Short mmCIF file of all heavy atoms in Angstrom, two decimals:
data_model
loop_
_atom_site.label_atom_id
_atom_site.label_comp_id
_atom_site.label_asym_id
_atom_site.label_seq_id
_atom_site.Cartn_x
_atom_site.Cartn_y
_atom_site.Cartn_z
N MET A 25 13.96 7.41 -9.91
CA MET A 25 12.59 7.02 -10.12
C MET A 25 11.85 8.33 -10.37
O MET A 25 11.97 9.26 -9.60
CB MET A 25 12.01 6.31 -8.93
CG MET A 25 10.59 5.90 -9.03
SD MET A 25 9.99 4.92 -7.67
CE MET A 25 9.62 6.24 -6.49
N VAL A 27 8.18 10.06 -10.90
CA VAL A 27 6.73 9.85 -10.63
C VAL A 27 5.93 11.01 -11.12
O VAL A 27 6.18 12.16 -10.76
CB VAL A 27 6.50 9.65 -9.11
CG1 VAL A 27 5.05 9.37 -8.87
CG2 VAL A 27 7.33 8.46 -8.58
N ASN A 28 4.96 10.73 -11.96
CA ASN A 28 4.00 11.74 -12.42
C ASN A 28 2.63 11.33 -11.86
O ASN A 28 2.23 10.21 -12.07
CB ASN A 28 3.86 11.75 -14.00
CG ASN A 28 5.18 12.22 -14.62
OD1 ASN A 28 5.92 12.88 -14.09
ND2 ASN A 28 5.31 11.87 -15.85
N ALA A 29 1.98 12.24 -11.18
CA ALA A 29 0.74 11.81 -10.46
C ALA A 29 -0.37 12.89 -10.60
O ALA A 29 -0.15 14.04 -10.53
CB ALA A 29 1.03 11.63 -8.94
N LEU A 31 -3.64 13.43 -8.59
CA LEU A 31 -4.28 13.08 -7.41
C LEU A 31 -5.79 13.02 -7.47
O LEU A 31 -6.39 13.76 -8.23
CB LEU A 31 -3.91 14.09 -6.26
CG LEU A 31 -2.40 14.27 -5.99
CD1 LEU A 31 -2.19 15.41 -5.00
CD2 LEU A 31 -1.80 12.99 -5.47
N GLU A 35 -10.09 11.80 -2.36
CA GLU A 35 -9.56 10.73 -1.55
C GLU A 35 -8.35 11.14 -0.79
O GLU A 35 -7.27 10.46 -0.84
CB GLU A 35 -9.28 9.56 -2.40
CG GLU A 35 -10.53 8.83 -2.97
CD GLU A 35 -11.28 8.08 -1.96
OE1 GLU A 35 -10.78 7.87 -0.77
OE2 GLU A 35 -12.45 7.63 -2.30
N LYS A 36 -8.40 12.27 -0.13
CA LYS A 36 -7.29 12.78 0.67
C LYS A 36 -6.79 11.80 1.71
O LYS A 36 -5.62 11.67 1.95
CB LYS A 36 -7.58 14.17 1.21
CG LYS A 36 -7.66 15.25 0.20
CD LYS A 36 -7.90 16.57 0.79
CE LYS A 36 -8.01 17.65 -0.30
NZ LYS A 36 -8.19 18.99 0.24
N GLU A 37 -7.73 11.17 2.40
CA GLU A 37 -7.38 10.24 3.46
C GLU A 37 -6.60 9.04 2.89
O GLU A 37 -5.63 8.56 3.48
CB GLU A 37 -8.59 9.75 4.22
CG GLU A 37 -9.22 10.83 5.08
CD GLU A 37 -10.47 10.32 5.84
OE1 GLU A 37 -10.72 9.07 5.88
OE2 GLU A 37 -11.16 11.19 6.44
N ALA A 38 -7.00 8.56 1.74
CA ALA A 38 -6.28 7.44 1.09
C ALA A 38 -4.88 7.92 0.72
O ALA A 38 -3.92 7.18 0.97
CB ALA A 38 -7.03 6.94 -0.13
N PHE A 39 -4.74 9.15 0.20
CA PHE A 39 -3.45 9.66 -0.17
C PHE A 39 -2.52 9.79 1.07
O PHE A 39 -1.36 9.39 1.07
CB PHE A 39 -3.50 11.02 -0.86
CG PHE A 39 -2.20 11.61 -1.11
CD1 PHE A 39 -1.42 11.11 -2.17
CD2 PHE A 39 -1.70 12.63 -0.36
CE1 PHE A 39 -0.16 11.67 -2.42
CE2 PHE A 39 -0.43 13.19 -0.62
CZ PHE A 39 0.36 12.69 -1.65
N GLU A 40 -3.09 10.28 2.20
CA GLU A 40 -2.31 10.49 3.35
C GLU A 40 -1.83 9.06 3.93
O GLU A 40 -0.72 8.94 4.34
CB GLU A 40 -3.13 11.21 4.46
CG GLU A 40 -3.34 12.69 4.14
CD GLU A 40 -4.31 13.36 5.02
OE1 GLU A 40 -4.77 12.79 6.01
OE2 GLU A 40 -4.63 14.56 4.71
N TYR A 41 -2.74 8.09 3.92
CA TYR A 41 -2.36 6.80 4.38
C TYR A 41 -1.23 6.15 3.49
O TYR A 41 -0.32 5.61 3.94
CB TYR A 41 -3.58 5.86 4.42
CG TYR A 41 -3.32 4.53 5.02
CD1 TYR A 41 -3.43 4.34 6.37
CD2 TYR A 41 -2.82 3.51 4.23
CE1 TYR A 41 -3.18 3.06 6.95
CE2 TYR A 41 -2.55 2.21 4.82
CZ TYR A 41 -2.68 2.07 6.15
OH TYR A 41 -2.38 0.84 6.74
N TYR A 42 -1.48 6.28 2.18
CA TYR A 42 -0.50 5.71 1.25
C TYR A 42 0.88 6.41 1.40
O TYR A 42 1.91 5.78 1.48
CB TYR A 42 -1.00 5.96 -0.22
CG TYR A 42 0.00 5.55 -1.25
CD1 TYR A 42 0.26 4.25 -1.56
CD2 TYR A 42 0.79 6.52 -1.84
CE1 TYR A 42 1.20 3.87 -2.50
CE2 TYR A 42 1.76 6.20 -2.76
CZ TYR A 42 2.00 4.84 -3.08
OH TYR A 42 2.91 4.53 -4.01
N SER A 43 0.89 7.73 1.50
CA SER A 43 2.13 8.44 1.70
C SER A 43 2.84 8.05 3.03
O SER A 43 4.03 7.81 3.08
CB SER A 43 1.86 9.97 1.62
OG SER A 43 1.45 10.32 0.37
N GLU A 44 2.03 8.07 4.09
CA GLU A 44 2.60 7.80 5.38
C GLU A 44 3.29 6.36 5.42
O GLU A 44 4.29 6.18 6.06
CB GLU A 44 1.46 7.81 6.43
CG GLU A 44 1.88 7.49 7.86
CD GLU A 44 0.75 7.51 8.81
OE1 GLU A 44 -0.25 8.26 8.54
OE2 GLU A 44 0.80 6.79 9.80
N HIS A 45 2.74 5.42 4.71
CA HIS A 45 3.25 4.04 4.76
C HIS A 45 4.16 3.74 3.55
O HIS A 45 5.04 2.84 3.71
CB HIS A 45 2.13 3.12 4.77
CG HIS A 45 1.32 3.15 6.07
ND1 HIS A 45 0.32 4.03 6.25
CD2 HIS A 45 1.48 2.44 7.17
CE1 HIS A 45 -0.10 3.92 7.49
NE2 HIS A 45 0.55 2.90 8.10
N SER A 46 4.14 4.42 2.42
CA SER A 46 4.98 4.16 1.34
C SER A 46 6.35 4.86 1.46
O SER A 46 7.38 4.32 1.14
CB SER A 46 4.41 4.49 -0.02
OG SER A 46 4.12 5.87 -0.12
N VAL A 47 6.33 6.09 1.99
CA VAL A 47 7.60 6.81 2.10
C VAL A 47 8.67 6.07 2.90
O VAL A 47 9.80 5.97 2.45
CB VAL A 47 7.37 8.25 2.67
CG1 VAL A 47 8.67 8.91 3.05
CG2 VAL A 47 6.62 9.06 1.67
N PRO A 48 8.35 5.44 4.01
CA PRO A 48 9.36 4.67 4.75
C PRO A 48 9.91 3.54 3.93
O PRO A 48 11.02 3.18 4.03
CB PRO A 48 8.65 4.20 6.01
CG PRO A 48 7.53 5.13 6.25
CD PRO A 48 7.11 5.53 4.82
N LEU A 49 9.03 2.89 3.11
CA LEU A 49 9.53 1.77 2.30
C LEU A 49 10.61 2.26 1.29
O LEU A 49 11.64 1.59 1.07
CB LEU A 49 8.32 1.15 1.55
CG LEU A 49 7.25 0.51 2.39
CD1 LEU A 49 6.13 -0.02 1.47
CD2 LEU A 49 7.81 -0.60 3.24
N PHE A 50 10.35 3.42 0.65
CA PHE A 50 11.31 3.98 -0.24
C PHE A 50 12.59 4.35 0.45
O PHE A 50 13.69 4.10 -0.02
CB PHE A 50 10.70 5.11 -1.05
CG PHE A 50 9.63 4.68 -1.96
CD1 PHE A 50 8.35 5.11 -1.82
CD2 PHE A 50 9.85 3.78 -3.04
CE1 PHE A 50 7.26 4.75 -2.69
CE2 PHE A 50 8.83 3.38 -3.93
CZ PHE A 50 7.57 3.88 -3.69
N LYS A 60 10.63 17.56 -5.95
CA LYS A 60 9.19 17.34 -5.91
C LYS A 60 8.51 18.68 -6.29
O LYS A 60 8.83 19.65 -5.65
CB LYS A 60 8.71 16.86 -4.51
CG LYS A 60 7.22 16.49 -4.55
CD LYS A 60 6.81 15.91 -3.19
CE LYS A 60 5.40 15.53 -3.19
NZ LYS A 60 4.96 14.84 -1.94
N SER A 77 7.70 13.92 -9.01
CA SER A 77 8.69 13.63 -7.97
C SER A 77 9.80 12.87 -8.59
O SER A 77 9.63 12.00 -9.44
CB SER A 77 8.08 12.83 -6.83
OG SER A 77 7.11 13.46 -6.18
N LEU A 79 13.20 10.67 -7.28
CA LEU A 79 13.98 10.11 -6.20
C LEU A 79 15.18 9.32 -6.74
O LEU A 79 15.06 8.77 -7.85
CB LEU A 79 13.14 9.14 -5.36
CG LEU A 79 11.93 9.79 -4.61
CD1 LEU A 79 10.66 9.60 -5.43
CD2 LEU A 79 11.77 9.18 -3.24
N PHE A 81 17.85 6.19 -6.18
CA PHE A 81 18.03 4.92 -5.48
C PHE A 81 19.43 4.44 -5.80
O PHE A 81 20.03 4.76 -6.82
CB PHE A 81 17.02 3.97 -5.98
CG PHE A 81 15.62 4.13 -5.47
CD1 PHE A 81 14.80 5.11 -6.00
CD2 PHE A 81 15.17 3.39 -4.43
CE1 PHE A 81 13.48 5.30 -5.56
CE2 PHE A 81 13.82 3.55 -3.94
CZ PHE A 81 13.05 4.50 -4.55
N ILE A 87 14.60 -0.18 -6.52
CA ILE A 87 13.30 0.38 -6.86
C ILE A 87 12.30 -0.72 -7.10
O ILE A 87 11.18 -0.74 -6.49
CB ILE A 87 13.42 1.24 -8.15
CG1 ILE A 87 14.35 2.45 -7.93
CG2 ILE A 87 11.98 1.70 -8.56
CD1 ILE A 87 14.65 3.16 -9.26
N VAL A 90 11.00 -2.57 -3.91
CA VAL A 90 9.98 -1.90 -3.09
C VAL A 90 8.58 -2.26 -3.70
O VAL A 90 7.64 -2.69 -2.99
CB VAL A 90 10.10 -0.35 -3.11
CG1 VAL A 90 8.91 0.34 -2.47
CG2 VAL A 90 11.39 0.03 -2.35
N PHE A 91 8.41 -2.11 -5.00
CA PHE A 91 7.14 -2.45 -5.67
C PHE A 91 6.75 -3.83 -5.60
O PHE A 91 5.54 -4.18 -5.60
CB PHE A 91 7.14 -1.86 -7.09
CG PHE A 91 7.15 -0.40 -7.22
CD1 PHE A 91 8.31 0.30 -7.52
CD2 PHE A 91 5.99 0.34 -6.99
CE1 PHE A 91 8.30 1.69 -7.58
CE2 PHE A 91 5.96 1.73 -7.04
CZ PHE A 91 7.16 2.37 -7.38
N SER A 93 7.48 -5.81 -3.02
CA SER A 93 7.37 -6.21 -1.59
C SER A 93 5.93 -6.44 -1.15
O SER A 93 5.03 -5.75 -1.71
CB SER A 93 8.12 -5.19 -0.69
OG SER A 93 7.36 -4.02 -0.61
N ALA A 95 4.78 -5.54 1.71
CA ALA A 95 4.38 -4.30 2.43
C ALA A 95 3.88 -3.30 1.38
O ALA A 95 2.86 -2.64 1.73
CB ALA A 95 5.60 -3.75 3.20
N TYR A 96 4.50 -3.14 0.26
CA TYR A 96 4.01 -2.24 -0.75
C TYR A 96 2.66 -2.72 -1.34
O TYR A 96 1.74 -1.97 -1.57
CB TYR A 96 5.01 -1.97 -1.83
CG TYR A 96 4.50 -0.88 -2.78
CD1 TYR A 96 4.67 0.49 -2.48
CD2 TYR A 96 3.83 -1.22 -3.97
CE1 TYR A 96 4.17 1.49 -3.29
CE2 TYR A 96 3.35 -0.17 -4.76
CZ TYR A 96 3.53 1.12 -4.47
OH TYR A 96 3.04 2.12 -5.26
N LYS A 97 2.62 -4.04 -1.66
CA LYS A 97 1.39 -4.60 -2.25
C LYS A 97 0.12 -4.34 -1.36
O LYS A 97 -0.93 -4.16 -1.80
CB LYS A 97 1.54 -6.03 -2.54
CG LYS A 97 2.48 -6.32 -3.72
CD LYS A 97 2.75 -7.77 -3.96
CE LYS A 97 3.77 -8.00 -5.05
NZ LYS A 97 4.06 -9.41 -5.24
N ALA A 98 0.40 -4.31 -0.06
CA ALA A 98 -0.68 -4.12 0.93
C ALA A 98 -1.27 -2.68 0.78
O ALA A 98 -2.35 -2.41 1.20
CB ALA A 98 -0.21 -4.36 2.35
N LEU A 99 -0.47 -1.75 0.15
CA LEU A 99 -0.89 -0.36 0.07
C LEU A 99 -1.66 -0.15 -1.28
O LEU A 99 -2.19 0.97 -1.49
CB LEU A 99 0.34 0.54 0.11
CG LEU A 99 1.15 0.54 1.37
CD1 LEU A 99 2.39 1.36 1.24
CD2 LEU A 99 0.27 1.04 2.53
N LEU A 100 -1.72 -1.12 -2.15
CA LEU A 100 -2.33 -0.94 -3.43
C LEU A 100 -3.79 -0.43 -3.38
O LEU A 100 -4.13 0.48 -4.20
CB LEU A 100 -2.20 -2.21 -4.33
CG LEU A 100 -0.79 -2.57 -4.71
CD1 LEU A 100 -0.83 -3.86 -5.53
CD2 LEU A 100 -0.10 -1.45 -5.45
N PRO A 101 -4.61 -0.90 -2.49
CA PRO A 101 -6.00 -0.34 -2.45
C PRO A 101 -6.04 1.16 -2.14
O PRO A 101 -6.83 1.91 -2.67
CB PRO A 101 -6.69 -1.11 -1.32
CG PRO A 101 -5.90 -2.40 -1.22
CD PRO A 101 -4.51 -2.02 -1.59
N TYR A 102 -5.03 1.59 -1.30
CA TYR A 102 -4.98 3.04 -0.99
C TYR A 102 -4.42 3.85 -2.12
O TYR A 102 -4.88 4.96 -2.44
CB TYR A 102 -4.11 3.25 0.28
CG TYR A 102 -4.74 2.56 1.48
CD1 TYR A 102 -4.31 1.26 1.82
CD2 TYR A 102 -5.75 3.16 2.26
CE1 TYR A 102 -4.89 0.58 2.92
CE2 TYR A 102 -6.28 2.46 3.32
CZ TYR A 102 -5.86 1.24 3.66
OH TYR A 102 -6.44 0.53 4.71
N ARG A 103 -3.43 3.29 -2.81
CA ARG A 103 -2.79 3.93 -3.95
C ARG A 103 -3.86 4.05 -5.05
O ARG A 103 -3.96 5.13 -5.65
CB ARG A 103 -1.65 3.08 -4.47
CG ARG A 103 -0.91 3.77 -5.59
CD ARG A 103 0.09 2.85 -6.25
NE ARG A 103 -0.62 1.91 -7.11
CZ ARG A 103 0.06 0.93 -7.78
NH1 ARG A 103 1.32 0.72 -7.65
NH2 ARG A 103 -0.68 0.09 -8.54
N ASP A 104 -4.63 3.03 -5.30
CA ASP A 104 -5.64 3.09 -6.38
C ASP A 104 -6.72 4.13 -6.07
O ASP A 104 -7.24 4.74 -6.99
CB ASP A 104 -6.24 1.69 -6.57
CG ASP A 104 -5.28 0.71 -7.10
OD1 ASP A 104 -4.24 1.09 -7.60
OD2 ASP A 104 -5.55 -0.53 -7.04
N LYS A 105 -7.00 4.35 -4.80
CA LYS A 105 -7.96 5.43 -4.42
C LYS A 105 -7.39 6.80 -4.48
O LYS A 105 -8.01 7.78 -4.88
CB LYS A 105 -8.53 5.15 -3.05
CG LYS A 105 -9.50 4.07 -2.94
CD LYS A 105 -10.00 3.96 -1.51
CE LYS A 105 -10.91 2.79 -1.28
NZ LYS A 105 -11.37 2.75 0.15
N ALA A 106 -6.11 6.90 -4.13
CA ALA A 106 -5.42 8.17 -3.96
C ALA A 106 -5.12 8.87 -5.26
O ALA A 106 -5.04 10.09 -5.33
CB ALA A 106 -4.13 8.05 -3.15
N PHE A 107 -4.92 8.12 -6.28
CA PHE A 107 -4.49 8.71 -7.59
C PHE A 107 -5.48 8.40 -8.73
O PHE A 107 -5.94 7.26 -8.85
CB PHE A 107 -3.12 8.11 -8.01
CG PHE A 107 -2.04 8.40 -6.99
CD1 PHE A 107 -1.69 7.50 -6.04
CD2 PHE A 107 -1.42 9.66 -7.01
CE1 PHE A 107 -0.68 7.75 -5.13
CE2 PHE A 107 -0.43 9.98 -6.05
CZ PHE A 107 -0.04 8.98 -5.14
N LYS A 109 -4.41 9.06 -11.75
CA LYS A 109 -3.39 8.56 -12.73
C LYS A 109 -2.03 8.59 -11.99
O LYS A 109 -1.70 9.49 -11.32
CB LYS A 109 -3.35 9.46 -13.93
CG LYS A 109 -2.33 9.05 -15.01
CD LYS A 109 -2.50 9.91 -16.27
CE LYS A 109 -1.47 9.66 -17.30
NZ LYS A 109 -1.20 8.27 -17.70
N LEU A 110 -1.23 7.51 -12.20
CA LEU A 110 0.07 7.44 -11.63
C LEU A 110 1.00 6.75 -12.60
O LEU A 110 0.75 5.66 -13.04
CB LEU A 110 0.00 6.66 -10.28
CG LEU A 110 1.27 6.50 -9.51
CD1 LEU A 110 1.74 7.90 -9.02
CD2 LEU A 110 1.13 5.53 -8.42
N ASP A 111 2.04 7.47 -12.98
CA ASP A 111 3.09 6.87 -13.85
C ASP A 111 4.40 6.92 -13.10
O ASP A 111 4.75 7.85 -12.49
CB ASP A 111 3.25 7.76 -15.15
CG ASP A 111 1.97 7.72 -16.00
OD1 ASP A 111 1.42 6.66 -16.16
OD2 ASP A 111 1.65 8.82 -16.50
N VAL A 112 5.09 5.75 -13.13
CA VAL A 112 6.37 5.63 -12.50
C VAL A 112 7.41 5.14 -13.48
O VAL A 112 7.11 4.13 -14.11
CB VAL A 112 6.38 4.68 -11.25
CG1 VAL A 112 7.70 4.60 -10.58
CG2 VAL A 112 5.25 5.13 -10.27
#
Side-chain angles (χ1 to χ4, degrees):
M25 181 176 80
V27 179
N28 295 337
L31 304 174
E35 291 288 349
K36 290 182 181 183
E37 288 180 12
F39 176 75
E40 289 171 7
Y41 185 91
Y42 174 79
S43 295
E44 179 182 331
H45 292 85
S46 65
V47 168
L49 297 177
F50 292 118
K60 185 174 183 178
S77 296
L79 295 97
F81 284 79
I87 299 170
V90 172
F91 289 102
S93 73
Y96 186 82
K97 289 177 183 177
L99 298 174
L100 294 180
Y102 299 94
R103 184 190 76 184
D104 292 346
K105 286 182 184 178
F107 299 98
K109 180 172 175 48
L110 182 67
D111 297 316
V112 180

